[in-house]
Amino acid sequence: MKMSEIVFSKLDKLGKSYKKSGDGFIVTQCLNPAHKDKHPSFSISLENGAGFCFTCGFKVDARYWIDGEIDEDFIRDLEYRNLENQLDKQEIKKDEKIFLPPMYEEVADNWRGLTRETINKFGMYVCKKGLYQNRVIFPMYYDGVLKGFNTRTLGNDTPKYLYAKGMDLKSLIYPNFAYTDELVIVEGIMDALSLVQDGIPAIANFGLSVNFNEFKINELLKKGVSKLWLMFDNDKYGKEANLKFKQSFLNNYFEIDYAFNNPKLRAFYNSDCKDYNEFANKK
């Protein structure tokens, strides 16, 4: 089969219209999934399949048409630049796509007590430049759709955690997985991941009571959760939050108990650690 036939067949499957542009060339909308191209800007050679976008610079060659192979690093970099532009202009809205920063390296094995299996399972990676320089990225998906991301500094930068703008933390359950009937509620993302790694279902509340709303209640009920274990940080504010939750409206929907009554968490409460991630890290 000629390259031109392969190109036309692929464009038809993608639903892309095209028109002739010189001898042996056609032009269509950009094939880069991160480029919202409203006008034809992507030139393709019908002889060898080489393609180039005059707007974003995305390129393909014969491997794209035959094997579907694309330059993932280029797409990541473009998504990152789009994100930086949106952040600079404060144009991100809730209904707009949130782009992940580019990946530069993997998170080190056993970083803060997290195993390689956990790191890979939740798609964590390190960004090394721009707004999220020297930070671990935590992509946050819900039903397969990227809802945003959280980042944690690898050093002593402030703030320690930095979220993507445009995220609605009140409508985000993380980590999102197959829950059991019992669930531990913690403040932070690292505590939640450490608990899940140890086989104890948990979610991060991204703070205290303000982020636990009707949406989360309904989602957890749909997933079959019937009991919540309260496990906010073992400090003054965490203890106050535990008491506030214990006496809150959540009692109308779930059985509520303090996590120090959970036999699976006895070792943590017998330690001098402030939170569960510190406990996991020491292990």
Side-chain angles (χ1 to χ4, degrees):
M1 185 180 293
K2 293 181 178 180
M3 178 56 68
S4 59
E5 295 174 341
I6 297 174
V7 169
F8 289 138
S9 176
K10 177 104 175 183
L11 290 176
D12 288 340
K13 289 179 181 179
L14 293 172
K16 298 284 188 181
S17 60
Y18 44 85
K19 60 183 180 180
K20 188 175 180 181
S21 176
D23 294 333
F25 287 86
I26 59 172
V27 64
T28 184
Q29 290 177 328
C30 186
L31 302 178
N32 178 2
H35 179 196
K36 298 177 181 178
D37 190 10
K38 296 181 180 180
H39 306 287
S41 60
F42 198 86
S43 177
I44 305 167
S45 167
L46 297 177
E47 180 181 356
N48 57 27
F52 175 77
C53 179
F54 292 102
T55 303
C56 75
F58 184 62
K59 298 178 181 179
V60 300
D61 56 25
R63 292 172 298 175
Y64 171 82
W65 306 105
I66 298 172
D67 303 322
E69 187 174 323
I70 59 176
D71 188 348
E72 295 286 354
D73 289 337
F74 180 92
I75 291 178
R76 285 268 188 174
D77 191 55
L78 180 66
E79 289 182 340
Y80 177 73
R81 282 187 275 125
N82 287 342
L83 173 65
E84 279 199 321
N85 291 336
Q86 288 175 311
L87 289 174
D88 289 342
K89 299 176 183 178
Q90 296 184 336
E91 290 180 350
I92 287 184
K93 299 177 182 178
K94 291 180 181 179
D95 59 342
E96 291 181 340
K97 183 177 180 181
I98 296 178
F99 295 105
L100 284 172
M103 181 170 68
Y104 288 97
E105 61 186 55
E106 291 185 334
V107 178
D109 288 345
N110 295 312
W111 177 70
R112 297 202 58 81
L114 298 182
T115 64
R116 169 56 49 194
E117 181 181 2
T118 299
I119 290 167
N120 291 341
K121 178 179 179 180
F122 293 102
M124 298 157 54
Y125 62 91
V126 176
C127 182
K128 282 292 187 180
K129 73 173 186 179
L131 183 63
Y132 303 106
Q133 182 175 353
N134 204 35
R135 287 180 174 273
V136 173
I137 309 298
F138 303 86
M140 296 182 174
Y141 292 88
Y142 196 82
D143 291 336
V145 178
L146 179 67
K147 294 295 185 179
F149 57 87
N150 183 18
T151 76
R152 189 188 196 280
T153 178
L154 285 170
N156 298 314
D157 301 319
T158 55
K160 180 189 293 186
Y161 289 97
L162 185 60
Y163 295 94
K165 290 188 178 181
M167 285 178 56
D168 182 7
L169 293 177
K170 296 180 182 179
S171 298
L172 183 67
I173 295 176
Y174 184 87
N176 188 21
F177 57 96
Y179 302 109
T180 62
D181 59 335
E182 297 185 6
L183 194 63
V184 179
I185 308 295
V186 293
E187 287 183 38
I189 190 171
M190 295 301 298
D191 296 330
L193 291 177
S194 295
L195 283 161
V196 171
Q197 177 174 277
D198 285 348
I200 304 173
I203 61 171
N205 197 45
F206 307 112
L208 304 180
S209 57
V210 68
N211 285 324
F212 210 99
N213 59 8
E214 187 175 349
F215 171 83
K216 290 185 179 179
I217 291 172
N218 291 333
E219 288 299 299
L220 294 181
L221 289 174
K222 284 192 294 185
K223 292 177 180 292
V225 177
S226 59
K227 182 169 184 175
L228 299 180
W229 296 96
L230 305 178
M231 193 180 179
F232 294 118
D233 287 357
N234 193 24
D235 56 17
K236 175 185 175 183
Y237 300 105
K239 292 174 181 177
E240 290 176 354
N242 276 332
L243 180 60
K244 185 174 182 179
F245 263 65
K246 187 73 167 65
Q247 298 174 344
S248 74
F249 67 96
L250 291 176
N251 287 283
N252 297 327
Y253 305 94
F254 308 99
E255 179 184 351
I256 309 290
D257 201 352
Y258 296 120
F260 54 71
N261 291 323
N262 189 326
K264 295 180 180 179
L265 298 170
R266 192 161 294 148
F268 164 70
Y269 282 102
N270 287 337
S271 73
D272 59 353
C273 297
K274 175 178 176 291
D275 55 49
Y276 198 85
N277 179 244
E278 180 182 339
F279 175 71
N281 202 21
K282 284 189 175 181
K283 285 196 299 181

